[in-house]
Every structure is written in C-alpha cells, then in structure tokens.
Amino acid sequence: MSLELALFYLAALVSLSATVLTVTRTNASHALIYLIISLLAVALIFFLLGAPFAAALEIVIYAGAIMVLFLFVVMMLNLGRETVAQERRWLAPKMWIGPGIFAAVLLLELLYLIVGTEVVTSGKGVSPKEVGIELFGPYLLAVELASILLLAALVGAFHLGRRYMRARREEIE
Amino acid sequence: MEPNTFLGIEYGFIMIVPVLGGALAAAGLLVWWERRLLGFWQDRLGPNRLGPFGILQIVADVIKLFTKDDWVPPFADRVVFTLAPAAIAAGMLMGFVVVPFGPGLAVVDLNIGVLFFLAMTAVTVYGVLLGGLASNNKYSLLGGLRTGAQMVTYEVFMGLSIMGVVLLSGSFSLSEIVKAQEEGMWFVFPQVLGFIVFFIAGLAETHRLPFDLPEAEHELAAGFHTEYSSMKFGLIMVGEYIGVILSSAMIVTLFFGGWLGPAFLPPIVWFTLKTAFFVCSFILLRAAIPRPRYDQLMSLGWKVLLPITLVNLLATGAIALLQQGA
C-alpha cells in the first residue's frame, strides 16, 4: 500500500506544480505543455484511485483531443515576442493579490473538509463494465442530456461553417 | 486495487526488457527491410552492398546519423525542439505495454488495454505538433498543423472501428479479446468493415505513405521535421517505424486472432509472423498507391469512413442484442 501512496503523492505533486506553471508561464505553448502534463498526472491519479476507465478517457479526450485543438489555435495565432511581453505585463505581482486571497479561502475550506473525513475512496477498482452499467442504468438521463447538448453543438458548428463556406464559394465564383 | 496487481507489475518488469529491445531492434531492421522490399516491388535492387543481403546498411546509416552535426536552429524553441522527437518515440513505445505477444506474455494486461493504446497514440500527436511549432519555420508549422488535423480526425475512426470488436468480445482487455476469438472466429470476418477502417486509420495515424501529407516533400520541404538533423531525425524515424509495427500488432491482436494459430508453431511465432505480414502490406501500400490531396484525405475520412464505422457499429450492436435476447 505504501508504494501506491508514494506514487499518488508524486503524481499529485507533478499535477499541482504543472498547473501552477501553466498559470505563470508567459509563453503560450509552454503553458499548454504544462497543462497537458497536469492532465496526464491527473489521469495517473485516477488510475491509482481505482478508476482506470476514467484515467483512459482523461488522456484520450482531454489530453488527446481538446488540448490538441488548443495547441492548434496557438500555432495559428503566430504568437511572438510582443505577446510574451504583454503576458508579462499582465502577470504583474499586484494582480495576484485578489485571486490569491480567494484561492486561500477555498484551500482552507478544502483542508478542513479533508481533515474531517476518514476514507476518501472505497479503495476498490471499478472496471469499465461497471462504469457502463451505471451510466446506462441510473444515470441514463444524464447521458441522454449530454448527447443532446453535443448534437446541438454539432449542428451549430455545421451551420456556422456552412455560412462561411457559402461566402467563400461566392467569392471564388 | 487487488494485491495481485502488484505481482503482475513485478512480472511485467521482466517483460519490459525484451519488448523494448525487440521493438527498437525491429524498427532498425525495418529501415533496411523497407528499402529492400520497395526495391523488389519497383524492379530495382535497393541497398545490397554491405554484408549479406545488404543488412549492414543499417549500421552504416546509424554511423552516418551519429556523426552528422546535431544542429538546433538559433530561432527555434530549444527545449521543446529537443524533447519533441522523444515524445514521438516514447508514445509509440508505450503503446507496446498492453500488446499480448502470447498467452500471458504482455508487460501488463490492463482491463482498459484498447483505451490505453488509443491514449498513447493520442499523446504522440504532441511530438509532431510541438516539433513543428518549436522549429519556428513555416514549412514545419504547416506540416505540424496538417498532422494535427489528420491524426485527430483519424483517431476518431480508429476508436470507433475498434468498438465493434469490443462489443463482440465484451471487454477492453486485449488478451480477453484474443481469447474471445479462440472460442468464436477471428474478428476480421464479422468486423470486416471495422478492419478496413482500422487499417486505413492506422496508416494515417503513423503518417506513412500514401497518407504522409504532414511531410509531403513536394510541397512542404520535409514537413514538421524539416529542421531536424542527426539523431533527432533518427529518433523521429524510429518512432515512425515503431508506429508501423504497433499498428500491425494491434491489427493482428484485434482482428486476426493475436497469438492463435495451429499448434506446430509456438504462439509468439504466430504473432510475429502475422505482424510481419501486416508490416509488409504497409510497405506494399507505400510502393503501390500515390499520395492523395490533403482535402481528399480529410473528405475520405469524414464523408466515407465515419458513416461506414457508424453503420458497422449500429449493425454490430443490433446483432449482439438479438443474440443476447434469443
């Protein structure tokens, strides 16, 4: 058990420091790399907590698809030295005060809650099959709602793209 | 987690050495093998001077790569530029962790094996994207962008095409999938559409010819690895060949019964032979088919492969339900 605990704290340390570095980096692509590392570390934590399915999906969807799109945007924006300098100006020490106080309040609250409880997880592994049975059993409504939301997003994206393509086609003609 | 998981990991530690060594050695050998096969199919000799059948050509290539100037462009993002090739090779090597080479012969038999493979191929995208971005060169950037779009697109079909197999076997674990094929038949027969889509997606995922648009030399210099030289370039190449072997190994495991075969040969030999067959067919495709245009590649994906996989998934689900209900 102690090895698992050590691995957990290591992954948590990596995740936390990577997240902090994500916020403080001025170069957008470096910040994104730290965010990806943070997501990978969170996936490892899920795995250690006995949720391998959630861990795999964390990497496939968050690190593998969503962050790729973020990186895509960063690549297209052609960010140069000016943006780094601008970021540096925005990250002046003065602006840390407000968020720092609020985050500290939340941290204290979290610590209070953690100290109060004995066991955080049941400590037993949950197989992908069990997750599926739960999702399509008691939580079927949530799954359906999520898929309707995604369908709406898909139709919306298609509509916007079609208008753009029509304008382009007329331009060519 | 169960206590025997750790025993599994300890046992897997021993497996890491042959898997790592085998994959790297096979990738090196493949450089020579591909050139020989291409020569054979294109009616020329290929590298045949050094050693028996020219096999020492690999050694000569490696010496050449090592002695070349390892140059980092002054305008590049130094750290990211250096780490990107490692991310490509490491991601592809990590995929081998879940491949069952024989009964019980895997580094670790995860109950999310299929998803782990998909996750690791997803991570390799970053090597290519960041390599293109960090090179700070417009050809590299365009090559990186193309790769990003291509790999994310084909990952979708890759994932969906496997789901039919998962439905039939009822498990994400790769060894369970092979065992399910032992009782029934090889999944290539009920899942022929899934196999075709997975094969094409595997080709696009490893950005091999004919789908090597990220590095199409006639329009993008060498795409995302234009600025790479010496062993950094070598590592990118090794990563690509490992990707070819990994894709072939996954095709064999998912659709062609993995280690299964008549008893006169041991299981691991069957697995190796089948994988080698698909590696050769990857090379044959390179020799036979011209490169499509980039928009053709993308529309093939979204307009042909996506409907096919969805219909396949729907039909498989319906049949599985009917069999269960009867």
Side-chain angles (χ1 to χ4, degrees), chain B residues 31-236:
Chain B
V31 178
W32 166 76
W33 180 240
E34 169 162 44
R35 290 174 64 189
R36 284 298 302 212
L37 270 188
L38 281 179
F40 174 69
W41 278 319
Q42 294 169 344
D43 265 346
R44 53 191 178 79
L45 287 171
N48 66 343
R49 298 286 115 179
L50 275 167
F53 305 107
I55 199 163
L56 290 179
Q57 184 68 40
I58 311 165
V59 183
D61 280 347
V62 170
I63 292 173
K64 189 188 84 173
L65 277 177
F66 266 116
T67 49
K68 271 187 169 179
D69 189 11
D70 191 3
W71 186 67
V72 178
F75 45 82
D77 186 340
R78 214 183 164 80
V79 180
V80 180
F81 183 86
T82 314
L83 286 178
I88 298 175
M92 287 296 181
L93 276 174
M94 282 292 283
F96 275 99
V97 165
V98 288
V99 175
F101 297 93
L105 268 182
V107 175
V108 56
D109 183 21
L110 287 175
N111 59 356
I112 48 156
V114 173
L115 292 172
F116 186 86
F117 161 73
L118 289 174
M120 287 306 123
T121 50
V123 168
T124 56
V125 180
Y126 288 114
V128 179
L129 271 178
L130 291 172
L133 178 64
S135 297
N136 216 346
N137 160 328
K138 55 186 153 193
Y139 294 116
S140 303
L141 187 75
L142 282 172
L145 280 175
R146 275 189 179 184
T147 321
Q150 174 177 329
M151 288 177 86
V152 170
T153 304
Y154 278 82
E155 246 163 44
V156 175
F157 319 131
M158 194 176 223
L160 281 176
S161 62
I162 304 178
M163 287 313 138
V165 171
V166 174
L167 252 173
L168 289 178
S169 63
S171 175
F172 280 119
S173 153
L174 287 170
S175 63
E176 289 295 320
I177 287 173
V178 175
K179 274 172 201 152
Q181 296 178 73
E182 193 167 21
E183 288 150 21
M185 52 183 159
W186 287 2
F187 284 143
V188 64
F189 299 115
Q191 284 296 313
V192 66
L193 289 176
F195 162 64
I196 292 168
V197 173
F198 186 82
F199 191 89
I200 296 174
L203 212 60
E205 201 65 15
T206 47
H207 37 91
R208 293 270 308 167
L209 267 154
F211 291 158
D212 70 333
L213 290 143
E215 46 204 81
E217 64 268 18
H218 62 288
E219 47 196 52
L220 283 180
F224 69 93
H225 58 61
T226 306
E227 301 288 355
Y228 283 93
S229 61
S230 185
M231 257 339 263
K232 292 201 190 75
F233 171 75
L235 200 57
I236 291 175

Side-chain angles (χ1 to χ4, degrees), chain A residues 3-4 27 29-30 33 36 40 47-48 50 52-53 56-57 59-60 63-64 67-68 71-72 75-76 123 127-129, chain B residues 1-2 6 77 80 110-112 115 118-120 122-123 125-126 129-130 132-133 141 144-145 148-149 152 155 170 172:
Chain A
L3 179 63
E4 277 184 24
N27 184 325
S29 58
H30 291 180
I33 296 171
I36 294 159
L40 293 178
F47 190 81
L48 285 168
F53 190 67
L57 287 192
I59 301 182
V60 172
M67 295 320 290
V68 169
L71 196 57
F72 228 78
M75 285 170 90
M76 302 238 226
S127 72
K129 206 172 217 163
Chain B
M1 308 210 95
E2 305 96 61
F6 273 116
D77 186 340
V80 180
L110 287 175
N111 59 356
I112 48 156
L115 292 172
L118 289 174
M120 287 306 123
V123 168
V125 180
Y126 288 114
L129 271 178
L130 291 172
L133 178 64
L141 187 75
L145 280 175
V152 170
E155 246 163 44
F172 280 119

Side-chain angles (χ1 to χ4, degrees), chain A residues 82-93:
Chain A
E82 297 104 76
T83 28
V84 172
Q86 191 188 34
E87 281 284 321
R88 204 159 280 156
R89 276 200 306 279
W90 285 350
L91 283 173

